[in-house]
Amino acid sequence: MKISLNPQAKDVATRDALVAEGGFGKYYTDHMVVCEWSEKDGWSEPELKPYGPISLDPATAVFHYGQEIFEGMKAYRQPDKSIALFRPEANAKRFARSAKRLALPEMPESLFLETVETLVQHDGGWVPNKVGESLYLRPFMFATEVGLGVRPSNKALYMLIATPVGAYFDPSKAVSVWISTEYVRAALGGTGEAKCGGNYAASLIAQKAAAAQGCDQVVWIDAIERRWVEEMGGMNLYFVKGTGADATVMTPKLTGTLLPGITRDSILSVAADLGYKVEETMISIDDWRDGVASGLITEIFACGTAAVVSPVGQAKSTMGTWVTGDGQPGKITMQIRNALLGIQHGEIADTHKWMHAVI
Ligand SMILES: *Cc1c(COP(=O)(O)O)cnc(C)c1O
């Protein structure tokens, strides 16, 4: 990798003050990684360089036809002050699958990991120290062929940026959701399984509709039968059936339209490790409404890299409003959240070998 250090890198005091401010995506680290691809020459040597704006021709393909994908992953400070990534190989594999679906080049896993490790090695000082805090890494790639012809681009640019994330989890606040029956996120054969910007572009109007209903997030249901629960915004969903040691932890099955979350996948193992029955199954909006009414469904939570685990409280739809529990995060939700965060921060044994040491 070519290394071009930032002569204007923040001094330690300034950097630490920015990291301490917390938030999400407010500040970016001193460096970024870029790597070009062309059909003719393949992948170029990646370069670590100062974080900063890029310049693109107005006729660049991505601006017109939206050929773009991204990933989201985190680096966590460990008790011995070293830094480790959580399952970056899983992100590398998903990035390649998303690339394939968007007719972009599949970046080799080793190259993807090299870029992530190199950025963390150079900007490791930006990784916060407390549990619940981390450095969020955003790899992305887009079509850079210049021209308005509609075809898979023969050039692409991969970039990697990073932003420190504070502990913004408020345990007293469950997320409220609007179940959208008007809009569709994904249909079989579409791009629902790919992590692409276009999915988000098409989802924002529903997010707006949710806000207009006084809800924090939108919940997506399937495109065909309009009854199977799929996801919440950019996160996967979990439902807890029953209480205590006999509880079952369920998540909607991957049907080809859901984004296969790495947090979702990890929780299947963590919940089983904690002794719960786990199920990947079809969950309908009727199951949700009736389960909450009868008390069979005791807890609901959403999960994803950014927030890890967020309790879901009130659900609103054209069919009515249902509230799970007492609006406080459920016991099992918090137990799973703490178990996963414990592994990520190196405080609980990493029996699944998920942590990838960097420095
Ligand atoms: C990224 C994403 C998720 C969560 O995936 P993680 O790997 O757990 O971060 C869920 N749904 C959508 C639509 C996403 O884009």
Side-chain angles (χ1 to χ4, degrees):
M1 167 126 34
K2 202 172 149 208
I3 306 287
S4 314
L5 293 181
N6 187 347
Q8 272 147 22
K10 303 270 187 308
D11 59 70
V12 173
T14 307
R15 180 196 71 200
D16 289 352
L18 298 181
V19 171
E21 263 190 51
F24 181 81
K26 212 158 144 195
Y27 304 107
Y28 292 85
T29 64
D30 295 312
H31 299 94
M32 62 184 187
V33 178
V34 298
C35 187
E36 287 171 16
W37 174 89
S38 75
E39 206 163 70
K40 191 163 130 282
D41 301 320
W43 292 101
S44 69
E45 184 185 0
E47 181 183 6
L48 178 100
K49 58 192 280 189
Y51 182 94
I54 55 171
S55 169
L56 291 166
D57 190 291
T60 300
V62 67
F63 297 135
H64 306 279
Y65 310 123
Q67 213 186 342
E68 187 267 356
I69 59 166
F70 66 96
E71 268 302 324
M73 59 208 291
K74 281 178 170 175
Y76 294 88
R77 183 76 63 187
Q78 303 298 294
D80 64 359
K81 299 287 166 210
S82 67
I83 300 168
L85 292 157
F86 182 70
R87 306 189 68 181
E89 304 83 2
N91 295 95
K93 290 189 172 79
R94 188 170 64 190
F95 195 59
R97 289 199 305 271
S98 299
K100 186 170 184 202
R101 178 62 184 82
L102 273 287
L104 282 163
E106 292 171 57
M107 184 178 238
E109 186 173 325
S110 58
L111 178 57
F112 180 93
L113 293 176
E114 183 192 357
T115 65
V116 174
E117 287 170 2
T118 306
L119 185 64
V120 173
Q121 279 156 6
H122 284 84
D123 287 345
W126 290 82
V127 179
N129 292 311
K130 295 198 217 69
V131 170
E133 301 178 338
S134 57
L135 184 69
Y136 182 85
L137 298 154
R138 167 55 60 88
F140 59 108
M141 188 197 330
F142 51 89
T144 49
E145 183 175 351
V146 175
L148 300 182
V150 179
R151 59 175 170 271
S153 179
N154 62 16
K155 278 189 193 146
L157 183 63
Y158 165 87
M159 300 186 76
L160 169 66
I161 56 175
T163 177
V165 190
Y168 55 83
F169 180 69
D170 178 356
S172 66
K173 203 179 172 308
V175 174
S176 61
V177 297
W178 169 248
I179 301 173
S180 178
T181 43
E182 192 177 1
Y183 301 106
V184 166
R185 190 191 90 93
L188 217 53
T191 55
E193 282 189 321
K195 216 167 169 66
C196 61
N199 286 346
Y200 280 78
S203 79
L204 298 176
I205 189 172
Q207 177 62 43
K208 249 178 147 169
Q213 293 290 338
C215 297
D216 301 313
Q217 289 285 343
V218 58
V219 161
W220 299 103
I221 53 175
D222 79 286
I224 309 284
E225 294 185 57
R226 307 301 284 144
R227 55 190 281 245
W228 302 110
V229 176
E230 297 203 325
E231 300 192 57
M232 180 193 92
M235 299 172 83
N236 294 111
L237 281 167
Y238 267 91
F239 295 77
V240 179
K241 207 164 59 178
T243 54
D246 294 330
T248 300
V249 174
M250 314 183 292
T251 190
K253 191 164 125 179
L254 299 178
T255 54
T257 52
L258 282 73
L259 194 290
I262 294 162
T263 317
R264 172 192 180 280
D265 182 70
S266 306
I267 288 173
L268 287 173
S269 299
V270 166
D273 293 347
L274 291 169
Y276 299 113
K277 290 185 281 295
V278 295
E279 264 177 31
E280 293 178 87
T281 184
M282 304 294 282
I283 300 161
S284 70
I285 38 180
D286 293 338
D287 295 336
W288 186 337
R289 183 191 55 214
D290 298 347
V292 165
S294 72
L296 184 67
I297 292 174
T298 50
E299 301 180 27
I300 303 175
F301 63 89
C303 66
T305 296
V308 187
V309 165
S310 295
V312 174
Q314 177 174 284
K316 200 172 166 186
S317 75
T318 51
M319 296 146 283
T321 298
W322 331 303
V323 182
T324 316
D326 55 5
Q328 296 295 310
K331 266 197 198 134
I332 295 173
T333 299
M334 289 310 287
Q335 191 190 12
I336 289 172
R337 177 180 162 85
N338 292 334
L340 190 54
L341 275 174
I343 296 169
Q344 291 169 333
H345 285 280
E347 293 180 334
I348 294 177
D350 175 25
T351 54
H352 300 284
K353 303 234 175 344
W354 285 334
M355 301 312 291
H356 181 106
V358 181
I359 36 170

